[in-house]
Amino acid sequence: MALWTVHGDGRRLGNDEVVHPDERLSWPLTVGMGLQHLAAMAAATVLVPTLTGLPVSATLLFSGLGTLLFLLITRNRVPGYLGSSYAFVAPLAAARGDGIAAQLGAVLFAGVLLAVIGVAVKALGIRLVDSVMPPVVTGGVIVLIGLNLAPLAGRDVASGPLLAAVTLAVIGVCAMLSRGLLFRLGVLAGVVVGWIVAAVTGSLAAASVTALDAAPWWGFPTLHEPQFRSSVMLAVLPAVLVLTAQSVGYTKAIGAVTGRDLDGHVGDGLIGNGLATALAGIGGGSALTPLGENVGVMALTRVYSTAAYLVAAVGAILLSFSPKVAAAIATVPAGVVGAMTLVLFGMVVMVGVRHWLDSDVDLGDPVNLMVAGAAVVAGAANLTIRVGSLQVPGIVWGSVLIVLGYPLLRTLRTTRRA
């Protein structure tokens, strides 16, 4: 039995058509969609190991392998690309002095813990998740993710406003004026045109061009063994909570936008995400999560085919063995990356809002209003709290506040009324 059925004739696609997870376009077009996902995930998957001191090549390798494992465990029904999680930047960056081995031990620990949570959800049923993370919470976490990442896009746009304007214009033209496949490949088209304009005008960073010239075509990823250190493992516990909320919210959001009930696969998603993160911790990669950038690509293109993610995963694995190609990706100017992520992070926010609307969340309810407000403020402001020598960013404490604060507020109100 084929993993995917061909959507229509596989070549033509109307603006209002949706390609479901178990469908695909022709393989050349599927490769194009996969390259678009590859471009979307590259910034986060490269930036996080750069900030934390983990090897980039290994992170790319385990990002691809982790995505394949995720698709396998979710039985090809939950489209998603697993890239580096921003929630782990603070604790892993703080642990750089302990060495890469200790950082990887914490990543492995986080992955195993997340997988255990997934097994519990699968055994006890979706009601466990709904009672702890109802739609107002999962939607809030999705909105928080998009808004929290928005300053990164704004910073990149500010560093290259002209290139950003060109890239945004191309994406906008493809989205508003074109029809069919060009509409679906608008993000990739914008990045390619933006890069060409930068190359023609001499706007590519000299250091990145020099690194591209010096990079070899072939090379094995740098791998390391994990080492368990209790202080570093305890530091990632809040990030595990964020990862849990992100994974649950992601699966529910994908179910909402595809029109399919994926509640029965929430446990599978957690297990897949956890095992993929554990695998990364064993060999040298950072903690993984379904990336918001790729959610944005799906929301924009309405192509949810897992075949495109298979292509992206294989592409990431190949990139990890080619320093030359990875260096070529690094030449994409910040202004171009900023324009792309500006669109995609905005789509993530709107997916969260849509999740609220589709779930009939009453935002007039004082408790719901406080939860939603906390998500918006914590995400947009990226408020950072210092705990000793550890800086806790808004995406971490904001998610913790939402996940723990909602049931507390709801219980207090119920008790008061009783």
Side-chain angles (χ1 to χ4, degrees):
M1 179 179 177
L3 291 176
W4 303 278
T5 59
V6 178
H7 181 89
D9 63 4
R11 297 186 298 275
R12 289 180 291 272
L13 200 60
N15 282 351
D16 296 327
E17 290 186 67
V18 173
V19 180
H20 291 288
D22 55 354
E23 297 178 324
R24 66 169 176 84
L25 300 172
S26 66
W27 279 113
L29 295 178
T30 297
V31 169
M33 295 293 175
L35 291 176
Q36 190 164 233
H37 280 296
L38 196 62
M41 72 86 190
T45 304
V46 171
L47 177 61
V48 171
T50 301
L51 294 174
T52 58
L54 293 171
V56 173
S57 58
T59 297
L60 282 170
L61 172 63
F62 288 105
S63 172
L65 292 175
T67 298
L68 294 179
L69 181 60
F70 178 82
L71 295 177
L72 177 65
I73 291 176
T74 58
R75 289 166 285 174
N76 221 31
R77 296 174 184 174
V78 182
Y81 187 91
L82 299 189
S84 301
S85 171
Y86 285 104
F88 282 76
V89 169
L92 292 183
R96 290 186 72 162
D98 295 290
I100 290 178
Q103 290 174 308
L104 294 179
V107 171
L108 173 56
F109 166 71
V112 171
L113 185 56
L114 185 63
V116 170
I117 294 172
V119 171
V121 169
K122 196 167 179 63
L124 299 177
I126 190 61
R127 290 184 179 179
L128 173 64
V129 174
D130 288 338
S131 63
V132 178
M133 297 181 185
V136 63
V137 172
T138 52
V141 170
I142 296 169
V143 171
L144 187 151
I145 293 169
L147 290 176
N148 181 261
L149 299 177
L152 296 176
R155 180 199 63 193
D156 288 341
V157 169
S159 68
L162 293 179
L163 289 176
V166 170
T167 305
L168 280 173
V170 173
I171 295 174
V173 167
C174 292
M176 302 302 174
L177 303 181
S178 65
R179 299 183 62 83
L181 291 170
L182 184 57
F183 163 77
R184 312 295 177 128
L185 292 170
V187 173
L188 183 61
V191 171
V192 171
V193 172
W195 187 90
I196 292 174
V197 171
V200 171
T201 59
S203 300
L204 297 180
S208 64
V209 174
T210 301
L212 175 62
D213 292 337
W217 281 102
W218 174 262
F220 285 97
T222 304
L223 302 181
H224 297 270
E225 293 183 358
Q227 181 183 75
F228 297 107
R229 191 163 297 179
S230 58
S231 59
V232 183
M233 292 164 63
L234 290 174
V236 302
L237 283 177
V240 174
L241 181 58
V242 175
L243 215 59
T244 302
Q246 286 179 339
S247 183
V248 172
Y250 176 85
T251 304
K252 284 181 170 288
I254 295 303
V257 296
T258 59
R260 296 186 173 184
D261 184 5
L262 295 180
D263 283 359
H265 297 286
V266 169
D268 292 330
L270 287 166
I271 294 171
N273 195 348
L275 293 182
T277 296
L279 179 64
I282 290 174
S286 62
L288 303 174
T289 188
L291 286 180
E293 294 90 324
N294 298 92
V295 176
V297 170
M298 283 193 291
L300 187 65
T301 63
R302 284 175 286 188
V303 176
Y304 307 108
S305 173
T306 55
Y309 284 106
L310 173 68
V311 171
V314 172
I317 293 170
L318 294 176
L319 284 179
S320 71
F321 286 93
S322 177
K324 177 73 74 174
V325 178
I329 292 177
T331 64
V332 178
V336 175
V337 174
M340 174 186 69
T341 52
L342 191 69
V343 173
L344 298 181
F345 294 157
M347 297 300 295
V348 173
V349 173
M350 297 314 297
V351 166
V353 173
R354 177 177 175 177
H355 185 56
W356 279 335
L357 296 176
D358 290 345
S359 303
D360 295 323
V361 173
D362 181 9
L363 293 179
D365 183 302
V367 175
N368 293 344
L369 198 59
M370 289 184 66
V371 171
V376 171
V377 173
N382 191 25
L383 302 173
T384 301
I385 297 176
R386 181 179 292 275
V387 181
S389 61
L390 180 65
Q391 289 188 336
V392 183
I395 193 172
V396 173
W397 77 260
S399 296
V400 172
L401 176 64
I402 294 170
V403 173
L404 299 183
Y406 176 80
L408 176 61
L409 290 173
R410 182 65 65 187
T411 300
L412 288 175
R413 190 171 74 169
T414 302
T415 303
R416 181 179 179 183
R417 287 180 175 178

